[in-house]
Amino acid sequence: LRYTRMQWKNLGADFYVQQQFDEFHRLISRTLVGTGLRGVVFNNKTIGLWFGSGYMAEAETRSLPELSEEPVDVQNHRWSNYLTLNWQIIPERLHFSNTAYYQPRFDDFNDIQALNEGKLNVPMSDKISVGASWIVRYDSMPPADVQPMDVKILGFVNVIIL
């Protein structure tokens, strides 16, 4: 859940909360709460670029192997940064969007979490589109038995029923 309030034309504030789980990354629960500044570099009908930077609190409960010496519950304070690009490459025919996040821990800048989420969308009609999406996730200090980098690439078909 994210709330953005633009105080001025190109500068505003973000507030967000997030709850997730991910068995493949050994996350029983991950809760995020954050706030920061949001800036618009440019935004028009064809292309938009904006960024954000601020504070994020993170609380994780992890499922670890029995002999692991890592803590099950972890709380961190991170510097959360993002950059988003939305681009109508061919207006009403080809749309590209991508958001990259970079989140080092305040007390250990070597502990980095990064995420890149993107989508390429091709409308076929007013109610149908096809495309591809991707997620690239990096954790410099993942839990035991979890790889630091994870890549997902998916194809999709969107159908608007109503």
Side-chain angles (χ1 to χ4, degrees):
L1 180 63
R2 179 179 292 269
Y3 173 74
T4 300
R5 172 137 174 111
M6 297 304 290
Q7 300 295 94
W8 299 277
K9 181 181 176 187
N10 293 323
L11 187 63
D14 279 328
F15 306 93
Y16 57 92
V17 296
Q18 179 180 326
Q19 177 69 41
Q20 72 184 90
F21 71 94
D22 185 338
E23 64 184 284
F24 297 108
H25 292 100
R26 294 192 169 275
L27 286 176
I28 295 171
S29 171
R30 181 174 190 232
T31 304
L32 307 177
V33 177
T35 188
L37 294 176
R38 177 186 181 109
V40 176
V41 179
F42 49 83
N43 194 15
N44 59 47
K45 288 182 180 180
T46 305
I47 193 164
L49 181 67
W50 56 90
F51 64 92
S53 185
Y55 168 79
M56 180 180 81
E58 167 189 67
E60 294 181 348
T61 300
R62 305 181 296 179
S63 169
L64 299 172
E66 280 188 36
L67 300 177
S68 176
E69 294 183 14
E70 296 178 59
V72 171
D73 293 308
V74 178
Q75 291 82 36
N76 293 311
H77 303 275
R78 293 187 180 275
W79 180 25
S80 182
N81 303 279
Y82 69 89
L83 182 66
T84 297
L85 173 67
N86 273 326
W87 182 19
Q88 293 286 342
I89 298 170
I90 303 171
E92 299 184 27
R93 296 282 176 236
L94 183 59
H95 177 247
F96 170 83
S97 62
N98 197 83
T99 301
Y101 299 88
Y102 182 78
Q103 300 168 329
R105 233 173 64 195
F106 276 115
D107 62 336
D108 182 358
F109 269 54
N110 293 316
D111 184 349
I112 299 163
Q113 291 190 355
L115 178 69
N116 186 329
E117 296 180 312
K119 180 168 71 169
L120 194 59
N121 192 49
V122 180
M124 305 303 287
S125 71
D126 289 345
K127 299 203 179 250
I128 299 173
S129 66
V130 298
S133 65
W134 55 89
I135 299 172
V136 179
R137 183 183 320 264
Y138 175 76
D139 185 345
S140 66
M141 298 181 183
D145 301 336
V146 174
Q147 295 295 316
M149 184 168 292
D150 184 45
V151 177
K152 294 179 188 175
I153 300 173
L154 304 167
F156 63 83
V157 176
N158 283 337
V159 179
I160 300 172
I161 296 173
L162 301 176

